[in-house]
Amino acid sequence: MPTRVCCCCSALRPRYKRLVDNIFPEDPKDGLVKADMEKLTFYAVSAPEKLDRIGSYLAERLSRDVVRHRSGYVLIAMEALDQLLMACHSQSIKPFVESFLHMVAKLLESGEPKLQVLGTNSFVKFANIEEDTPSYHRRYDFFVSRFSAMCHSCDSDPETRTEIRIAGIRGIQGVVRKTVNDELRATIWEPQHMDKIVPSLLFNMQKIEEVDSRIGPPPSPSAADKAEENPAMLAENCFRELLGRATFGNMNNAVRPVFAHLDHHRLWDPNEFAVHCFKVIMYSIQAQYSHHVIQEILGHLDARKKDSPRVRAGIIQVLLEAVAIAAKGSIGPTVLEVFNTLLKHLRLSVEFEARDLQGESISSANLNTSSKDSDEKIVQNAIIQTIGFFGSNLPDYQRSEIMMFIMGKVPVFGTSTHTLDISQLGDLGTRRIQIMLLRSLLMVTSGYKAKTIVTALPGSFLDPLLSPSLMEDYELRQLVLEVMHNLMDRHDNRAKLRGIRIIPDVADLKIKREKICRQDTSFMKKNGQQLYRHIYLGCKEEDNVQKNYELLYTSLALITIELANEEVVIDLIRLAIALQDSAIINEDNLSMFHRCGIMALVAAYLNFVSQMIAVPAFCQHVSKVIEIRTMEAPYFLPEHIFRDKCMLPKSLEKHDKNLYFLTNKIAESLGGSGYSVERLSVPYVPQVTDEDRLSRRKSIVDTVSIQVDILPNSNPSDDVVSNTEEITFEALKKAVDTSGMEEQEKEKRRLVIERFQKAPFEEIAAQCESKANFLHDRLAQILELTIRPPPSPSGTLTITSGHAQYQSVPVYEMKFPDLCVY
């Protein structure tokens, strides 16, 4: 009960003190004396210069009542302060606010939960008042610390604990609202404050498992009222509000404490809460700052690169969720940084996996290693999923750059063009990283639609992409083909072609196609032979499985749909016939299953292409062969050979020719429909390239011991001049010292190969005839023989090399066993 003073003494007291004393009743249960409170309010408004004294006197009384545990009078004093604060808006309120905050601090320091809640409520009311001019000298360090401590209340009574935590969260919310609006008063964003505020909010958000989280739109009014009673939901709303007010300069200070909290409480594994936190962050911040969060996640991933695989996988999963939200908005300059960091960690994961495999020794260690291997695979899958999702959401121009970037990381045996360090991986680790990178590339190319094939498969990308297609690893070859399908299939026809089979009516598939544009035609003239070669050699790999044949069939079908004109169709039929011949002759000693698999592939493709070009005689021949095979040799059809327990023949040499597709009948049927079929009589032979050496495989043309030098602008007269060069000591010295000539010879071979691949057929034929005529004349001079040419250039130049014989363009008939012509 407050001390009463006599009338004489009361008359001598200052008026503001008398007015303050009168608002306190004799019995605190009666509450604030409203009539006297109105007088005090009127006096304060009329004489604002007295506000600071009123505040000081109220603070003095409140401090005394708090010490004496007079809670009733404390409540009355705070109510009076609140009313004065709401009623007075002037410059003189600044000193009064200092007294008010001092009283709130006294309440928060008390050990009574009711007083702490009372002080918090008063502070929240004060935080909602908009001051005319900010007070830059005012600091809220104490309130940040105190409210943060209240958020971690561990009171034994659950209701009291919840009440105190809610008060702490509301207090932090009040501090945020009071301080973040003014850019000149940005002390709240300093790390020492964020390190207290953010963990306090996250600590309460961890209890959200039983509460429906709202990631997208703001809560409804009824849900907001409910959130006031739940610490987790209230903390999340406060966290959203804090992040929504963050600017470019203080975004990192708000995000970094999140990582510290998740690390300290080991919340990366499992990472449900971590994912939820970053979803809240990404949806709350301004879109243009998304790349800051992504950079912070990448930096934290680098910092935790030596942690357990599950922790790293948890961080990568969080990155995936962040990228999923930010991919449609502003990514900023972090595109290559994201991919570079992810690929670096992919290499580290493969390196850890390979190291564990090499280090296993005893059975107990083996169990540990297998567990680690599975964990590392979780990391690798998470990285690939993140790369794929991020890449598939980029615009086309950026996705092309990322495709080149990833392709540049794929290691190829025998080359050093890749930029990924594989020195610590070994062969097993290198194979693993090849598969992982190609899987990443497959994810990035998914859904990519280019207007022209040149845009999707430029030479700088096509050459390194096709290199792994000749590796002695069926899984690598599968991935390369799938990547090519993603880039070639511009009309979503691949799903209709899934599975190798004899299609009764291709029209039922409703294939979408457009007229071949000039750029696509130029692409096939320049790179067609390269594509054919890789398909041809890919069919003859001895470790092929059913999926390899299915993908090779799809490749042929997609080239037919997307890139084929009449000339390309003829080339593809030549390729198919060459594959059939190779399966019959079997120079590569393939198993019977693989030989029958090639035959089935050829049957499926010729059935498809015959219906696509709609030449009745061609369709009739293909259908007749398939019908005979169904009756006599079902193992030559895909529906049977790729079925379990399929009966295989012992040999193919004794089969009737009616089981095979015949070149003369195909040429006859196509020629009657206006196709130029002269080239069908020329057997398809793949060209020799450096890839056979680099890809650790032996090409069928490695045994060729003849090289025909056909260079641009070359003619026999040049050779005559070079042959009459004066022979001197220096010339002989240069001839003996061949070290300086190796590079020239290598470049010379490269030009020859490129000439055969890219030059028009007629030009090659003309130059071969010119070269043959020159050889004819020179040999006649040297051997002093008289050789009469045939009456018409209908012969062929036959070049014999070891056990192989090749026929080329129409020139004079000559034979040169194992002869090299330079």
Side-chain angles (χ1 to χ4, degrees):
M1 186 174 184
T3 304
R4 311 300 294 181
V5 296
C6 65
C7 295
C8 296
C9 294
S10 177
L12 298 175
R13 291 167 61 81
R15 186 182 178 187
Y16 72 90
K17 288 189 177 182
R18 297 199 305 271
L19 291 173
V20 169
D21 291 337
N22 291 338
I23 67 173
F24 291 92
E26 294 185 2
D27 187 356
K29 293 180 181 179
D30 296 337
L32 182 67
V33 179
K34 294 184 179 180
D36 292 326
M37 186 64 216
E38 291 177 359
K39 295 177 183 180
L40 178 61
T41 303
F42 179 77
Y43 177 77
V45 173
S46 303
E49 68 277 2
K50 300 293 186 181
L51 268 175
D52 60 333
R53 299 185 182 183
I54 294 173
S56 299
Y57 184 60
L58 275 171
E60 180 185 341
R61 290 195 57 129
L62 184 136
S63 300
R64 184 170 64 246
D65 292 334
V66 168
V67 172
R68 296 177 180 178
H69 300 286
R70 294 175 177 175
S71 300
Y73 291 114
V74 172
L75 293 174
I76 293 172
M78 290 307 301
E79 185 178 354
L81 282 169
D82 292 342
Q83 291 190 22
L84 288 173
L85 200 61
M86 299 297 293
C88 301
H89 295 283
S90 68
Q91 294 291 338
S92 302
I93 201 175
K94 304 301 180 188
F96 177 74
V97 169
E98 298 301 327
S99 300
F100 169 80
L101 293 177
H102 177 70
M103 287 182 279
V104 172
K106 285 289 184 182
L107 295 179
L108 295 177
E109 287 178 333
S110 67
E112 297 185 22
K114 291 184 179 180
L115 296 183
Q116 293 178 351
V117 173
L118 177 64
T120 301
N121 293 337
S122 295
F123 183 84
V124 171
K125 292 177 183 178
F126 162 71
N128 291 328
I129 298 175
E130 294 184 6
E131 301 182 48
D132 296 334
T133 57
S135 178
Y136 300 114
H137 68 278
R138 189 186 305 153
R139 297 186 65 87
Y140 296 91
D141 299 12
F142 168 79
F143 296 99
V144 170
S145 300
R146 190 59 194 161
F147 289 137
S148 299
M150 291 170 64
C151 290
H152 293 83
S153 174
C154 298
D155 195 276
S156 57
D157 183 25
E159 292 185 2
T160 303
R161 180 170 64 247
T162 300
E163 188 177 11
I164 295 175
R165 288 186 179 182
I166 290 176
I169 297 169
R170 294 180 66 237
I172 289 177
Q173 195 173 30
V175 173
V176 171
R177 289 176 179 175
K178 197 64 179 174
T179 56
V180 297
N181 287 332
D182 197 331
E183 295 181 359
L184 297 178
R185 190 176 58 226
T187 57
I188 192 67
W189 296 108
E190 294 177 358
Q192 62 266 29
H193 299 318
M194 286 291 106
D195 290 343
K196 298 174 184 176
I197 292 174
V198 174
S200 300
L201 298 176
L202 296 179
F203 176 78
N204 287 276
M205 285 173 60
Q206 285 178 246
K207 308 300 179 182
I208 206 168
E209 289 82 4
E210 299 178 0
V211 181
D212 291 333
S213 60
R214 299 176 303 281
I215 299 300
S220 61
S222 59
D225 294 338
K226 186 178 179 181
E228 293 293 329
E229 303 174 1
N230 187 287
M233 297 177 69
L234 183 61
E236 181 178 325
N237 292 337
C238 181
F239 191 44
R240 289 175 183 274
E241 185 176 350
L242 175 68
L243 294 168
R245 298 171 183 268
T247 60
F248 180 85
N250 46 49
M251 176 61 64
N252 293 342
N253 290 340
V255 174
R256 285 172 184 166
V258 178
F259 294 105
H261 179 83
L262 296 175
D263 290 342
H264 180 72
H265 293 273
R266 299 180 181 179
L267 296 174
W268 295 112
D269 178 32
N271 68 337
E272 287 80 5
F273 179 71
V275 170
H276 173 73
C277 284
F278 278 91
K279 282 185 176 181
V280 170
I281 292 172
M282 296 303 294
Y283 278 116
S284 301
I285 63 176
Q286 300 178 44
Q288 64 267 30
Y289 303 145
S290 297
H291 64 280
H292 280 287
V293 180
I294 294 175
Q295 283 178 325
E296 289 295 323
I297 299 175
L298 292 174
H300 194 69
L301 181 60
D302 286 336
R304 304 300 298 270
K305 63 183 179 182
K306 295 184 179 179
D307 281 21
S308 67
R310 290 190 175 273
V311 170
R312 287 182 279 125
I315 300 174
I316 294 168
Q317 182 66 28
V318 166
L319 178 63
L320 171 61
E321 298 295 338
V323 163
I325 298 170
K328 297 296 185 181
S330 172
I331 303 299
T334 60
V335 175
L336 284 179
E337 183 181 353
V338 170
F339 285 97
N340 194 36
T341 302
L342 289 174
L343 292 177
K344 179 178 68 176
H345 284 277
L346 182 61
R347 179 188 61 80
L348 287 174
S349 178
V350 172
E351 184 178 332
F352 293 153
E353 183 181 15
R355 189 181 303 167
D356 291 336
L357 286 174
Q358 294 172 359
E360 60 183 19
S361 54
I362 57 176
S363 58
S364 60
N366 290 342
L367 295 175
N368 261 340
T369 302
S370 62
S371 174
K372 288 182 179 179
D373 290 346
S374 61
D375 290 345
E376 289 296 346
K377 285 182 173 58
I378 294 174
V379 176
Q380 295 161 14
N381 291 333
I383 293 175
I384 291 172
Q385 187 179 6
T386 304
I387 289 175
F389 190 89
F390 193 14
S392 62
N393 283 280
L394 290 174
D396 288 345
Y397 72 93
Q398 282 187 324
R399 204 192 304 198
S400 300
E401 294 177 0
I402 296 305
M403 288 158 49
M404 291 293 299
F405 182 75
I406 296 177
M407 199 64 239
K409 299 283 186 179
V410 179
V412 178
F413 291 111
T415 68
S416 58
T417 56
H418 55 85
T419 58
L420 201 65
D421 182 15
I422 58 172
S423 57
Q424 305 296 324
L425 296 180
D427 287 349
L428 183 62
T430 301
R431 176 189 176 275
R432 184 70 178 165
I433 198 67
Q434 287 173 330
I435 292 175
M436 292 295 105
L437 289 172
L438 288 175
R439 284 180 59 192
S440 303
L441 186 61
L442 180 63
M443 294 285 287
V444 172
T445 56
S446 178
Y448 182 70
K449 295 290 186 296
K451 292 183 179 180
T452 63
I453 196 66
V454 180
T455 306
L457 287 170
S460 57
F461 179 74
L462 181 63
D463 294 339
L465 174 64
L466 290 177
S467 294
S469 70
L470 298 180
M471 293 287 187
E472 292 181 343
D473 190 307
Y474 70 93
E475 190 173 357
L476 284 173
R477 299 196 299 273
Q478 290 174 6
L479 290 170
V480 172
L481 291 173
E482 289 175 334
V483 171
M484 289 186 59
H485 296 172
N486 282 345
L487 298 173
M488 282 186 182
D489 185 20
R490 293 172 288 177
H491 298 90
D492 299 321
N493 292 311
R494 184 173 41 168
K496 304 170 186 177
L497 302 170
R498 185 171 291 117
I500 180 172
R501 64 194 188 280
I502 302 297
I503 303 173
D505 190 357
V506 174
D508 293 339
L509 300 180
K510 297 180 179 179
I511 299 293
K512 298 178 182 178
R513 63 184 306 188
E514 297 177 0
K515 185 178 179 180
I516 308 302
C517 65
R518 185 187 305 172
Q519 291 87 345
D520 291 348
T521 302
S522 300
F523 174 83
M524 288 306 295
K525 285 185 177 180
K526 183 177 181 181
N527 302 292
Q529 294 298 325
Q530 189 178 7
L531 294 176
Y532 305 151
R533 176 177 184 274
H534 283 266
I535 292 175
Y536 180 83
L537 298 179
C539 289
K540 302 179 66 173
E541 293 289 350
E542 58 187 10
D543 62 339
N544 279 340
V545 295
Q546 178 180 348
K547 185 177 180 181
N548 289 87
Y549 292 113
E550 291 178 352
L551 294 173
L552 288 164
Y553 163 74
T554 304
S555 299
L556 291 169
L558 286 176
I559 293 175
T560 305
I561 295 170
E562 299 286 349
L563 302 170
N565 53 18
E566 289 188 6
E567 183 179 348
V568 174
V569 167
I570 295 297
D571 285 337
L572 291 171
I573 295 174
R574 287 177 60 214
L575 174 62
I577 297 301
L579 286 171
Q580 177 182 259
D581 294 343
S582 68
I584 297 172
I585 299 173
N586 196 26
E587 293 181 350
D588 296 276
N589 296 321
L590 296 175
S591 67
M592 186 57 66
F593 168 77
H594 292 97
R595 296 172 70 185
C596 292
I598 294 174
M599 300 291 283
L601 168 64
V602 172
Y605 174 67
L606 289 180
N607 172 72
F608 177 81
V609 72
S610 65
Q611 297 185 53
M612 286 296 294
I613 64 176
V615 176
F618 186 22
C619 293
Q620 185 178 1
H621 172 63
V622 173
S623 299
K624 184 177 179 180
V625 173
I626 291 174
E627 183 179 353
I628 297 174
R629 287 186 177 186
T630 305
M631 301 297 297
E632 300 180 11
Y635 38 78
F636 283 168
L637 299 176
E639 290 83 357
H640 293 80
I641 186 59
F642 298 123
R643 188 176 60 189
D644 293 338
K645 299 181 181 179
C646 175
M647 297 295 294
L648 297 176
K650 293 183 179 179
S651 67
L652 302 184
E653 284 73 16
K654 298 180 180 179
H655 284 77
D656 186 12
K657 68 176 184 178
N658 291 328
L659 293 173
Y660 304 130
F661 301 99
L662 302 179
T663 304
N664 58 346
K665 291 191 175 183
I666 295 175
E668 182 181 350
S669 62
L670 293 178
S673 297
Y675 281 82
S676 178
V677 297
E678 290 82 4
R679 298 173 61 192
L680 279 177
S681 60
V682 181
Y684 171 77
V685 178
Q687 299 295 328
V688 186
T689 69
D690 288 340
E691 289 171 327
D692 302 304
R693 174 178 56 83
L694 300 179
S695 59
R696 286 189 174 180
R697 70 178 308 281
K698 185 173 179 62
S699 170
I700 61 164
V701 290
D702 279 347
T703 57
V704 177
S705 59
I706 182 167
Q707 300 177 19
V708 180
D709 187 3
I710 302 178
L711 295 176
N713 303 322
S714 64
N715 54 66
S717 60
D718 296 337
D719 295 335
V720 174
V721 173
S722 62
N723 288 337
T724 58
E725 181 181 0
E726 182 180 0
I727 300 177
T728 62
F729 175 79
E730 292 297 328
L732 291 174
K733 183 178 178 181
K734 291 180 180 179
V736 174
D737 185 13
T738 60
S739 60
M741 301 293 292
E742 291 180 357
E743 291 297 327
Q744 296 181 11
E745 291 296 331
K746 185 176 179 180
E747 178 66 15
K748 194 175 181 181
R749 286 194 298 271
R750 188 189 67 79
L751 291 173
V752 171
I753 293 167
E754 183 178 357
R755 186 69 176 170
F756 269 108
Q757 288 180 340
K758 301 179 180 179
F761 181 78
E762 293 76 8
E763 182 180 343
I764 296 176
Q767 291 190 0
C768 282
E769 183 175 2
S770 174
K771 181 67 68 174
N773 289 334
F774 172 72
L775 291 175
H776 177 275
D777 297 338
R778 292 293 296 165
L779 286 175
Q781 294 175 8
I782 295 173
L783 301 177
E784 296 182 355
L785 295 175
T786 302
I787 300 179
R788 293 186 178 182
S792 62
S794 58
T796 58
L797 171 62
T798 303
I799 302 175
T800 304
S801 173
H803 62 275
Q805 192 176 70
Y806 300 93
Q807 284 190 336
S808 186
V809 297
V811 291
Y812 303 106
E813 183 174 354
M814 305 173 66
K815 291 188 178 181
F816 304 105
D818 296 318
L819 177 65
C820 293
V821 183
Y822 292 93

